[in-house]
Amino acid sequence: MSNVHAPVGVFDLFTVGIGPSSSHTVGPMKAAAAFAGALEQSGAIEHTATVRIEIFGSLAATGPGHGTFTAVLLGLTGARSDEITPEEVTSRLDEISRTGTVRLAGRQPISCRVEDFVLKPLTVHPRHPNALTFTASDSRGHELSTQTYLSIGGGFIVRDGADTAAATTPVPSAPHPFRTGAELLARCDDTGLSVSELMRANERASRTEAELRDGLRHIWEVMESSVHSAIGRTGVLPGGLGVRRRAAAWAARLADEDPHHDGEHWQQRVNLVALAVNEENASGGRVVTAPTNGAAGIVPAVLYYALHYTPAARTGGTGIRDSIVERFLLTAAAIGTLYKNNASISGAEVGCQGEVGSASSMAAAGLAEILGGTPRQVENAAEIAMEHNLGLTCDPIGGLVQVPCIERNAIGASKAINAARMALWGDGEHRVSLDQVIATMRDTGADMSHKYKETALGGLAVNVVEC
Ligand code: SF4
């Protein structure tokens, strides 16, 4: 298990990026951009003639399906995953492919093609299975700089050798720090704050109230725009598997149905949101990592449910709506930090339980908060959702984030809603704690064969014939 930690706040867990994978697309793009930026800062960029790129482990094994290699090319140009649009991705890659040239940090031209990348799928870095090494040299072949980066899940990257020991608290100077579920509950007991109020107070240590509220609303807006974009597309998803897009047809069908005379209406709406976000992700579109791209549909689907099918939502009004969005996301993020700091949200490290399981757990907690749950009921909801995702493997067919990923998000959202409802019918007392289930997820992931950890070497990836 990785010993890599990074600072975690709500805007670390929920970031805007492009699909299809936070660890295999967003992380590598950030790593390449960081390397190019460091060359620029040191002045070495002026002398750089070549950059050797070595890609290890899971990143090399499933790189083509995850867009890893093109993400690296884009990152070397200085592209930012939270800013670049899908249209810019296409045009920049077209230019690179046409010229065989990458402009390092947007300025220094070097010859660079995917065919030149050195792939080492069987070599696993001791700190994390997702690793890349960049080596810049001058025109005489003298090495100018070399650096390895680890893509540790959810779009987080860590420079190998960087001191991460200090980066273990939720938010710097947070007034109510917690690293475990037990500590979170103790802080809530001490202060009388709900989980979302406690998380809000921690976030306020590093930003104003207006910045926090604007940022949270922006996260929800991007989630909504992912849904709308997917609903506007038809045909099959890219990658060659021939997976049909369903969001547009489902949206049209739901529009024709009477919501008051169909008991399944809410379920189908939740399914639609989850599917739409993940279809958008699978097409390289813009989504919010929540906490990863592969699991990006669960939090928006359950938040959609909270905004439309809960007593709080029925009181109506923009203020209520914003309050639900903020409280939901803050609570979900509080739970996400526990997974990030005590286990992993990386499919390459612990399998899909770390991605879909963590997202389902976060969403369950968010919904329990909106349903009026106490901190113990919120913790219980998060625990139930993860307990029934334990052991979930990562076996994407063709290394593409499509099957089983897209439908799995809809199922993960349903589990989250059920977990929240079960927790609300209890009193918060329960046999298995969230900390115990997080530790179990971590240990199960450590025991899991590498075939089931984002390598596309086992499960559905080998038992379903690609054609
Ligand atoms: S199976 Fe799960 S962990 Fe693996 S790529 Fe799909 S969503 Fe991510």
Side-chain angles (χ1 to χ4, degrees):
M1 189 59 53
S2 156
N3 59 353
V4 178
H5 297 284
V8 184
V10 67
F11 298 116
D12 299 307
L13 284 161
F14 297 123
T15 59
V16 177
I18 58 166
S21 169
S22 42
S23 57
H24 287 56
T25 318
V26 175
M29 188 187 291
K30 282 185 182 173
F35 184 70
L39 287 177
E40 188 174 34
Q41 215 168 14
S42 68
I45 198 166
E46 313 284 351
H47 311 289
T48 300
T50 62
V51 175
R52 175 182 160 91
I53 297 151
E54 294 167 275
I55 303 184
F56 303 95
S58 172
L59 288 183
T62 62
H66 285 86
T68 305
F69 309 149
T70 48
V72 167
L73 292 176
L74 290 167
L76 289 175
T77 69
R80 286 184 50 146
S81 57
D82 57 342
E83 289 178 352
I84 194 165
T85 64
E87 294 72 30
E88 286 172 322
V89 167
T90 305
S91 68
R92 282 206 203 186
L93 289 177
D94 282 351
E95 188 190 332
I96 293 169
S97 155
R98 203 178 57 252
T99 62
T101 300
V102 163
R103 287 194 171 274
L104 265 185
R107 45 186 282 212
Q108 175 77 353
I110 61 164
S111 169
C112 191
R113 293 180 185 274
V114 167
E115 297 75 40
D116 303 329
F117 289 10
V118 180
L119 305 183
K120 299 181 176 175
L122 300 179
T123 305
V124 177
H125 191 280
R127 292 183 72 196
H128 199 280
N130 293 334
L132 319 86
T133 298
F134 301 89
T135 305
S137 301
D138 64 18
S139 56
R140 290 182 296 171
H142 292 147
E143 186 177 307
L144 299 169
S145 174
T146 186
Q147 186 60 60
T148 295
Y149 295 87
L150 312 172
S151 177
I152 62 173
F156 289 80
I157 60 164
V158 171
R159 192 165 50 81
D160 191 27
D163 177 15
T164 56
T168 54
T169 51
V171 175
S173 313
H176 312 297
F178 60 89
R179 279 191 52 84
T180 66
E183 288 177 8
L184 171 62
L185 290 179
R187 298 293 91 77
C188 288
D189 286 347
D190 294 345
T191 59
L193 297 173
S194 69
V195 174
S196 65
E197 288 168 342
L198 189 116
M199 193 66 180
R200 182 185 292 273
N202 282 350
E203 291 291 330
R204 285 292 318 281
S206 51
R207 54 182 56 83
T208 66
E209 178 70 15
E211 287 168 345
L212 177 60
R213 299 186 71 174
D214 288 351
L216 292 171
R217 269 181 250 143
H218 176 62
I219 292 298
W220 174 237
E221 283 163 12
V222 176
M223 288 175 171
E224 282 188 304
S225 70
S226 305
V227 176
H228 293 141
S229 175
I231 286 173
R233 304 195 202 203
T234 54
V236 296
L237 293 167
L241 271 189
V243 175
R244 277 183 299 128
R245 296 175 186 272
R246 284 174 281 184
W250 285 23
R253 179 172 170 174
L254 277 165
D256 284 342
E257 288 182 358
D258 180 351
H260 303 296
H261 289 92
D262 181 356
E264 292 180 9
H265 197 86
W266 71 264
Q267 178 71 73
Q268 297 295 16
R269 285 261 169 214
V270 167
N271 288 343
L272 170 61
V273 173
L275 255 65
V277 171
N278 285 81
E279 286 183 4
E280 190 63 9
N281 179 59
S283 359
R286 176 175 292 261
V287 298
V288 175
T289 62
T292 65
N293 279 33
I298 295 171
V299 165
V302 180
L303 178 46
Y304 177 89
Y305 177 89
L307 284 165
H308 292 85
Y309 301 103
T310 56
R314 284 185 204 112
T315 55
T318 310
I320 295 291
R321 185 183 163 81
D322 288 347
S323 164
I324 290 174
V325 168
E326 292 167 21
R327 289 165 53 220
F328 187 105
L329 292 176
L330 286 166
T331 305
I335 300 303
T337 66
L338 302 178
Y339 287 104
K340 187 77 188 68
N341 280 330
N342 299 299
S344 172
I345 56 170
S346 164
E349 204 170 15
V350 292
C352 198
Q353 52 174 358
E355 296 206 13
V356 162
S358 298
S360 188
S361 181
M362 292 164 63
L367 180 57
E369 177 92 355
I370 301 306
L371 290 171
T374 64
R376 278 176 170 70
Q377 287 170 316
V378 168
E379 184 255 8
N380 192 187
E383 182 276 317
I384 293 171
M386 174 51 85
E387 186 178 323
H388 304 290
N389 275 299
L390 286 175
L392 197 63
T393 59
C394 171
D395 56 355
I397 299 175
L400 296 161
V401 192
Q402 297 180 10
V403 183
C405 321
I406 296 172
E407 284 179 3
R408 186 166 287 176
N409 274 254
I411 302 299
S414 294
K415 280 189 187 179
I417 292 168
N418 203 11
R421 294 214 164 273
M422 288 174 75
L424 265 288
W425 273 35
D427 61 5
E429 294 304 318
H430 52 105
R431 185 68 186 79
V432 179
S433 72
L434 177 57
D435 288 333
Q436 288 170 323
V437 90
I438 290 174
T440 306
M441 185 270 266
R442 182 195 62 216
D443 296 347
T444 304
D447 289 342
M448 200 180 273
S449 163
H450 76 285
K451 289 193 292 185
Y452 303 109
K453 294 197 272 195
E454 214 156 355
T455 55
L457 294 173
L460 288 173
V462 296
N463 285 319
V464 177
V465 179
E466 294 173 49
C467 56

